[in-house]
Structure formats: C-alpha cells, structure tokens
C-alpha cells in the first residue's frame, strides 16, 4: 500500500478545489491507497514539509470545499530547480508516496514531467498523473480544461450586462472590457456566447490569434459608434500588436516561468480614444473575479478529472495528464482519457481558425456550438427589451 500526494499550482480557478476533492474521494475508495497527503502552496509544501492530512477531513468539510473557488491547499508559481527536484524525490520516498496527482496547467505539467523522469532515472516507482486546470483553456490534446467553463459563463454574462449599461447612456459611447487570458483568445472569445442579435455586444472581440495595431482598434471602435451609436469591445489583458509589443505597454513583472505581465491595455486605449477620436470611453476590468464563479457542469467535470487521475495512477500510468474528450454536443457528453505530459508542457493551444470570424474580430457559429454546451442549461438570466411602439395622443 502506497500513499497519495496531491498539490495545486498556478493561477487558481473556480473549480480547482473540486479536482482536489475528486482526488481525495477516489483515493479513499481505492484499497491500494494508504494516506492521502496535501502539500500546501504547491511543490513548496512538499519541499518545506508543509503537509496536511486529507484522508481525515470530515465529509461535510470536503463537500463545502468542493463548491469553494480558489485553492484550498494554496498555490504557487515556483519553478523548481534541479536541486528542488532531487529534494522532492527524497521527500516522496520518506513519505512512502506511490502516487502523485498535481493539479495545474502547462507549468505544472512541466514540473510533473521532470519529477517523473528523475524518479524513473533512479528506479523510484512513483506514478505521476496530473489533473488539468486553467481558465486559459490552452492545453493541447483535451477538448477543454476545468476552470474554463466557469470563466466563460462569467465573462459572457459580464459582456452582456456591461452592454446594457453602455447602451443606456450615450454620454460614454464606448465600453472596453478587459478579460484574462495569456497567449490564446479562449476567454475573450467566450464573451460572444450571450449574443442574440447581430448588432448585440460585444461588437468587437480582439484575439491574440489576430493581433491588431492600436490604430486599428481606435478606427474600428469609431466605425462601430458611427454605425450603431455605441460600442463594446473586448480586449485580452495581454493583447499585443503584430510586432509583439503589448497594446498597454510593457509591464515590470516576469514570473518564475518567464511569463511577462503587461500594463493594462484598456486604460491606454480609453485615453487614446478620447485624445485621438474624441470618444469618451469607460472600461471594466473584472480581473480575477471572473475566474471565481463556479459553474455546476465545471464542478462536476473537475471532480471527475481528479478521480480519473487517481484511477489511472493506480492502474500503472505515469507521466500523463487526464484529458476530456467530447462525445457529442446534443446531448452534451464527454469521456476521460490521458495523454503524455511531454505533449502538454510549455505548449499553447490557440483558438483554431474555424472558430474565428473572417474579419478576426469575432467568433463563428462553430465556436458557439463548441462553447455553449460548456455553460450548462440556461446559463443566462432572461432579459427583456421594450418594443419601440410610438406613443400617440
């Protein structure tokens, strides 16, 4: 009998705890698993001996944690050194760990892949199966990632609701909505999922896959205002121009994995619109709040991925990540598999061409068929619009 270790890494999501609870619940159900250990703050907890006993958590505590956003174990963006990898293996050996289920994205896949190779090199029989996690939805070889459905539903609702706010007050005819997303446009694309009519907002969605210049953005927003009377444009927080320069300007922070953080593009664009086009603009930046609103379907799939990771590790798999394969859209159904970590680590899956509108500023019906089932039944509260019936004396 071997012990099971789980930790959480990277940017947190609305459902990363559901994956952790899935790991714990499946571990409790498996005779091959002894103790279930949680490492706090990712791999740092393993290195520092900051560990908690997850098997003895009360059932009602686990049930509440499952529904709670963010990372109950704490997260990290620490990139382990080679010395860290060696120390981590020593800790796993002392703890009699046979199964490790990290929960994370590209960077976590890289860490788990390195741990697997190091363990294999010294003949240490530890199995590493990661649980996918990222709001960015940019992991290859999986239909989508736990965390994406929740943020997609949240930003779609925000785009629709900020549109109602903007349309009612033409004093500020432009609203810029800044959304999260690193190098791919999946989160920005999701803002279109609540649209009902052709001229509904968002009118413009800027995607990293189709980088604009700042001048193009100003011209396109001005053209929408002339045509519709107002405009809502969606801008990813890391949007760059075709030369790779951040639209908002260079930031000052680079995380340990080399990801640079840019300055806010919507703040710069709002100022430029008033200065260069005479258009008053406001901007909304929901930021991390958008990734903290759990969606029911996302919770269920996140837990299922955690459970699948444990089952696969016990069955003998290692150096793998759990994947979600879509079986059908109507009715929506998925099944679970795994893929090698070598095909996940440091690889970005962009929004495919057939999901992007020909003008590069919106999405296609193919993306709507992909995205809408992820939001679950009735994802948007019904709104009403007054009929334009003239009053006559």
């Amino acid at each position: 009998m071997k012990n099971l270790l789980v930790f959480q890494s990277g940017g947190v999501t609305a459902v990363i705890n559901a994956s952790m609870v899935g790991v714990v619940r499946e571990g409790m159900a498996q005779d091959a698993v002894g103790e279930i250990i949680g490492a706090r703050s990712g791999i740092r907890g393993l290195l520092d001996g900051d560990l908690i006993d997850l098997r003895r958590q009360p059932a009602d505590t686990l049930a509440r944690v499952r529904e709670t956003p963010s990372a109950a174990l704490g997260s990290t963006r620490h990139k382990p050194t080679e010395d860290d990898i060696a120390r981590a293996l020593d800790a796993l050996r002392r703890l009699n760990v046979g199964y490790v289920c990290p929960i994370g994205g590209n960077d976590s896949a890289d860490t788990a892949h390195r741990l697997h190779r190091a363990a294999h090199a010294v003949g240490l029989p530890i199995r590493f199966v990661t649980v996918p996690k990222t709001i960015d939805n940019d992991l290859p070889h999986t239909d989508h990632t736990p965390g994406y459905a929740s943020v997609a539903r949240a930003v779609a609702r925000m785009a629709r609701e900020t549109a109602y706010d903007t349309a009612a007050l033409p004093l500020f005819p432009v609203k810029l909505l800044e959304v999260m997303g690193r190098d791919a446009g999946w989160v920005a694309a999701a803002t279109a999922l609540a649209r009902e009519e052709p001229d509904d907002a968002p009118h413009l969605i800027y995607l990293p896959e189709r980088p604009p210049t700042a001048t193009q953005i100003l011209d396109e927003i001005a053209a929408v205002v002339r045509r519709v009377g107002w405009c809502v444009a969606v801008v990813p927080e890391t949007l760059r121009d075709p030369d790779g320069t951040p639209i908002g300007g260079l930031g000052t922070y680079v995380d340990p994995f080399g990801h640079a953080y840019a300055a806010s593009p919507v703040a710069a664009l709002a100022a430029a619109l008033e200065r260069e086009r005479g258009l008053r603009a406001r901007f909304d930046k929901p930021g991390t709040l958008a990734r903290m609103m759990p969606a029911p379907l996302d919770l269920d799939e996140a837990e299922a991925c955690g459970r699948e990771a444990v089952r696969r590790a016990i069955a003998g798999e290692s150096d793998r990540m759990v994947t979600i394969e879509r079986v059908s859209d109507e009715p929506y159904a998925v099944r679970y598999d795994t893929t090698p970590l070598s095909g996940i680590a440091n690889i970005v899956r962009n929004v495919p061409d057939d999901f992007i509108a020909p003008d590069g500023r919106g999405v296609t019906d193919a993306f709507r068929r992909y995205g809408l089932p992820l939001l679950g039944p009735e994802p948007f509260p019904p709104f009403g619009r007054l009929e334009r019936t003239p009053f006559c004396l």
Side-chain angles (χ1 to χ4, degrees), residues 178-183 208 235-241 244-255 258-269 285 287:
E178 183 176 300
V179 298
M180 300 186 75
R182 185 182 294 163
D183 297 314
V235 183
E237 62 184 1
T238 57
L239 187 66
R240 298 174 176 84
D241 68 17
T245 302
I247 294 294
L250 294 171
T252 59
Y253 177 70
V254 178
D255 74 14
H259 306 306
Y261 286 66
S264 170
V266 293
L269 289 169
K285 293 178 56 177

Side-chain angles (χ1 to χ4, degrees), residues 41-217:
S41 300
I43 195 171
R44 283 188 178 276
L46 179 61
L47 296 173
D48 299 339
D50 190 1
L51 309 170
I52 66 172
D53 187 338
L54 293 174
R55 180 178 280 281
R56 290 164 181 80
Q57 296 291 320
D60 61 339
T61 296
L62 289 175
R64 287 194 300 271
V65 168
R66 180 189 185 273
E67 310 293 319
T68 303
S70 191
L73 288 172
S75 191
T76 186
R77 290 196 184 277
H78 176 66
K79 183 173 184 177
T81 64
E82 290 306 311
D83 180 62
D84 289 337
I85 295 294
R87 288 172 55 212
L89 290 186
D90 285 342
L92 293 172
R93 183 186 294 110
R94 290 195 309 271
L95 293 167
N96 191 34
V97 170
Y99 317 105
V100 180
C101 295
I103 307 170
N106 302 86
D107 299 332
S108 301
D110 177 69
T111 296
H113 182 53
R114 292 171 62 199
L115 285 168
H116 164 84
R117 288 190 303 172
H120 181 75
V122 297
L124 199 58
I126 303 176
R127 299 164 189 167
F128 300 85
V129 180
T130 70
V131 183
K133 175 272 338 169
T134 175
I135 66 163
D136 294 329
N137 202 38
D138 61 354
L139 301 185
H141 309 299
T142 186
D143 180 79
H144 57 280
T145 55
Y148 177 64
S150 292
V151 76
R153 189 175 72 162
V155 298
R157 291 180 64 165
M158 290 174 183
R160 181 175 71 153
E161 288 157 13
T162 202
Y164 274 79
D165 177 271
T166 306
L169 190 62
L171 179 64
F172 291 89
V174 178
K175 179 67 67 64
L176 304 170
L177 179 63
E178 183 176 300
V179 298
M180 300 186 75
R182 185 182 294 163
D183 297 314
W186 293 100
V187 177
T191 61
L193 292 176
R195 295 181 65 193
E196 298 173 346
E197 303 294 337
D199 279 336
D200 281 356
H203 306 100
L204 297 165
I205 301 174
Y206 291 97
L207 303 172
E209 290 82 359
R210 300 289 188 273
T213 65
T215 299
Q216 284 177 317
I217 296 175

